[in-house]
Structures are given as structure tokens and as C-alpha cells.
Amino acid sequence: MSQARNPAVSETGDPLLLTPGPLTTSKAVKQAMVHDWGSRDATFIAINRAVMEELPKIIHGEADFVTVPMQGSGTFAVEAMLTTFVPRGSKILVLINGAYGQRAKRILEIAGREPVIHETAEDTPPDLTEVEKLLVADPAIGHVFAVHCETTSGIRNPIEAIAGLVKRHGRRLLIDSMSAFGALPLDSRETYFDAVAASSNKCIQGVPGLGFVIARKSALAETKGNATTLVLDLHDQHAVFERTGQYRFTPPIHVIVAFHQALQEFWAEGGVSGRGERYSDNARILIEGMEELGFRTLLPAARQAPIIITFHMPQDKNFVFQRFYDALKDSGYVIYPGKLTVADSFRIGCIGALDAQNMRSFVATVSDVLAQMGVGLKSAA
Ligand SMILES: *Cc1c(COP(=O)(O)O)cnc(C)c1O
């Protein structure tokens, strides 16, 4: 029955973030930030260079790709990618099945590009037959934009198949892999794309403040003059790096030094396979435990990425989401509201410095909270 448990805490005594980012980070990542550096400090410049050189290795793209960092959250990197690679007035096919696809469309509209939309429901991957028809019908579409893991639902979009189709039709692929990068494989030797955007504070487990685009060198070289803003111009940002090794504008130094530490921990864990495995274990324990309690996932297993899990809101009249959320918060777990249009739901993240024991304790706490609220999902299910 319900019994008091000590609240769960991270290594630094904070509640655990079961969210899509920012995430719970290690103590060493946070400790890396307790210094001051000038932006022209040689130590900082060397650390930054190491980070930029390591990132393409994650997609096995050391030879053909270069990292262009972008100060700001992940969306700054996505906007920089879209507005640097897609010339003004050009058409780009945007595959939408959630909020991040919608956001890309909005970026393109504001920036005077011409998005062509293929939209499916939030629990449904793009229809590749339809995508192919759109590409065949409109030769003016030069680019395709896809989201790797659409964090709105947690769906894993078939990025390899999308890339194959785009390449067969001679178009260029731009990927938002924000919530998947470092945990779901993306191998540039097998999956062809021009650029992928991600950020410091998701599966690499750094702190927020740095976006980056890993760009195919030959494609980036063709983008001079495309940008329609000064700050988000990846071509210029890269050119200045090549010349000076420095950022054009103040870099988030502490974020980058913490990101460097986070990358060391990422490699120590076994890179994409090690991290992906831990997240998969987290997701499996969470889903099995929650299903045991009577919750249902939005997505079938085959479409579910081990990043963030969407659960249907229970129908029990005693289940009040705000109370559920607050009780979990008091117990040391921060979960995430849903933002789906297809179903009333909430989300629980599996990423960050969380392990199997954290997930088991979380499920046990959910069970306690349900008992306190007088919710009996299991008998009702
Ligand atoms: C987190 C995320 C982003 C970026 O969001 P920010 O709040 O700007 O960091 C973009 N795309 C996807 C799929 C994401 O999960």
C-alpha cells in the first residue's frame, strides 16, 4: 500500500527530469562550469575545437561533414539550417507529424521560403508513396525536411527510408534529429543527407544553450548568400571559424565546456550504441511498469522511439492530471504534459542521466500516487 518514500534526487540533489530536455545531467557536467574563461582564451578555443571535431564522428561523417555551432536553443539551429540551406523563394517539402514539423513550416513561411506540406497524424509516420508523388510532381522542390524522432509523440520516423527516397529523386535532405541525436543511430555512410541539426541538452546530456548543425562540406559550400539573417548564417559562421577559430558573437562558453565533459561521458558509455541501449532499457521498464498499472501508450512498439513515451490520460474520474503531476514532483520526478491534438495525453522522458533503478522507482511512485488519488486503473482496464 501507499508508503512514504524519500524523494528521488539527482547526484546534486535536484528532482529528476523525466522530460524531453533540458535533462538531468551528471554532477561532473555541471561542475565543468564553475570557472570563468574569456572567449579568446586558448584553453576554451581548444575545448571548442575538440567538441566541433567530435560531433561528426557520431554520424561517421568525419571526412565529409563539418560542425557549425549556433548559439541558442535547438530551434536556433533548425532555423539556421533551413534558412542557410534553402535559398529565398525556394521550395522545400516539409514532412509533418507533430509540433516540430509545424515549427519548421512556420520558420520557412516567415523567412520567405516556400514549404510544401506532407502532413500525417501525430501517431503516423509519413506516407512515402505520397512523398514520392509530391517529389515527382514538382521538380521545383529542391529540399526535404524531416524530423528524426518527433518529440511531440515520441514517434520514430523512418529516416533511412526517407533519405533513400530523397536521394533517388535527386533532392537534398535536412534533418531535425534534436531529440534522437546520440541515441538513435544515424550513419551518414548509409543514410544520405546534407545537414542534421541537434543541440547540447538532449541525448548528449549537456546543459542548454548551444545548437549545432553537422553539415556536408560540399553542400555548405554552396550556401553562400542564402541566409536572410546575420546571426543564423551558417555559411558565415563556418567561414569565420575557418579563418579565426572563433565565434562571430559571444559563445555560451560554460555550456560548451560542459558539453565537452558530456561528450567524454557519452564516449565512455559506448557512444550511440551504449547510450541507446540504456535509454531502451529505461523505456522498456517504464512502458512495462506503466502498462502493469493500467496505463496505455499512444504508439505501438514498432513506432516508439526510446526517447519519450506518450501515455493516454486515464479516464478514471479521480485522475486529475495536475494532482498527479504535483504529487510526482513532490516525490522528485518532473514529468511533461502532452501537446497532442489526436489524444488527451501526458509524456514521460527516458533520456538524461537516468538509469533502470530510477525508472523502477518512478513506476513504484506512480503506483503510490494512484493509490493516494483513489485511482484504480488496473481494475477498470
Ligand atoms: C527539443 C527539440 C527541438 C528544439 O527545441 P528547443 O526548445 O529550441 O531546444 C527541435 N526539434 C525537436 C524534434 C526537439 O525535440
Side-chain angles (χ1 to χ4, degrees):
M1 278 269 80
S2 161
Q3 61 185 49
R5 294 171 195 273
N6 288 331
V9 289
S10 72
E11 280 180 297
T12 45
D14 306 302
L16 299 178
L17 302 177
L18 279 67
T19 62
L23 306 171
T24 295
T25 57
S26 74
K27 189 174 182 180
V29 164
K30 289 184 277 280
Q31 277 174 340
M33 295 187 286
V34 296
H35 298 283
D36 298 310
W37 297 268
S39 57
R40 311 211 156 176
D41 183 298
T43 314
F44 166 67
I45 289 174
I47 289 174
N48 183 71
R49 188 178 315 116
V51 169
M52 297 308 128
E53 284 172 4
E54 280 181 38
L55 290 170
K57 295 181 184 160
I58 297 175
I59 58 166
H60 303 284
E62 303 92 299
D64 298 333
F65 287 79
V66 66
T67 308
V68 190
M70 181 52 62
Q71 298 97 322
S73 81
T75 304
F76 289 66
V78 173
E79 183 156 346
M81 175 175 75
L82 289 170
T83 55
T84 299
F85 280 86
V86 183
R88 196 193 306 238
S90 273
K91 283 192 179 174
I92 170 168
L93 176 59
V94 180
L95 309 185
I96 301 180
N97 54 356
Y100 294 100
Q102 295 289 357
R103 188 177 293 176
K105 169 174 179 260
R106 178 126 177 79
I107 288 169
L108 291 158
E109 286 168 350
I110 290 172
R113 275 65 170 177
E114 285 191 48
V116 175
I117 305 304
H118 170 69
E119 184 166 2
T120 47
E122 289 151 335
D123 55 0
T124 309
D127 177 340
L128 296 189
T129 312
E130 276 306 309
V131 171
E132 180 153 35
K133 276 189 199 155
L134 287 165
L135 292 180
V136 169
D138 193 348
I141 296 172
H143 289 83
V144 176
F145 171 84
V147 180
H148 195 177
C149 166
E150 182 38 277
T151 323
T152 310
S153 65
I155 194 170
R156 177 183 196 146
N157 283 320
I159 205 72
E160 292 81 7
I162 293 168
L165 181 63
V166 172
K167 181 152 197 294
R168 273 203 304 288
H169 289 275
R171 315 304 168 83
R172 309 298 193 86
L173 179 63
L174 305 176
I175 303 172
D176 170 355
S177 184
M178 205 68 57
S179 61
F181 184 81
L184 296 184
L186 181 66
D187 188 336
S188 64
R189 298 168 303 186
E190 289 157 16
T191 304
Y192 196 90
F193 54 89
D194 272 4
V196 55
S199 74
S200 53
N201 66 280
K202 292 198 174 172
C203 301
I204 306 295
Q205 298 182 185
V207 303
L210 187 77
F212 54 89
V213 175
I214 306 178
R216 185 176 292 280
K217 291 176 192 166
S218 57
L220 183 66
E222 295 167 13
T223 61
K224 190 174 168 67
N226 284 352
T228 34
T229 61
L230 173 68
V231 293
L232 299 178
D233 185 343
L234 294 178
H235 188 278
D236 194 45
Q237 181 94 321
H238 175 63
V240 171
F241 259 107
E242 291 284 275
R243 273 205 312 280
T244 70
Q246 295 185 9
Y247 285 76
R248 296 175 298 163
F249 313 116
T250 304
I253 295 181
H254 300 76
V255 172
I256 293 163
V257 175
F259 194 36
H260 180 257
Q261 171 63 27
L263 274 166
Q264 307 321 302
E265 294 174 14
F266 169 78
W267 295 122
E269 192 175 357
V272 174
S273 63
R275 185 141 299 178
E277 217 165 283
R278 175 164 57 84
Y279 290 171
S280 295
D281 283 346
N282 287 352
R284 183 180 43 75
I285 292 164
L286 176 69
I287 292 170
E288 286 175 6
M290 293 290 280
E291 284 181 342
E292 177 75 15
L293 295 174
F295 288 94
R296 287 185 304 118
T297 60
L298 174 81
L299 297 169
R303 291 181 185 175
Q304 178 73 64
I307 304 291
I308 188 163
I309 316 296
T310 299
F311 292 97
H312 285 282
M313 205 66 92
Q315 294 306 307
D316 188 304
K317 66 179 185 335
N318 288 342
F319 187 89
V320 180
F321 181 71
Q322 193 61 47
R323 278 188 62 198
F324 182 66
Y325 180 94
D326 290 342
L328 288 173
K329 175 73 200 295
D330 290 343
S331 302
Y333 301 97
V334 178
I335 65 167
Y336 219 62
K339 61 171 167 184
L340 288 184
T341 52
V342 289
D344 195 13
S345 62
F346 63 91
R347 290 177 287 173
I348 298 175
C350 309
I351 58 180
L354 303 170
D355 61 17
Q357 189 50 47
N358 293 136
M359 301 318 275
R360 280 192 281 271
S361 302
F362 171 76
V363 171
T365 304
V366 170
S367 175
D368 291 351
V369 170
L370 291 179
Q372 283 157 22
M373 291 172 72
V375 175
L377 298 181
K378 214 172 162 187
S379 45

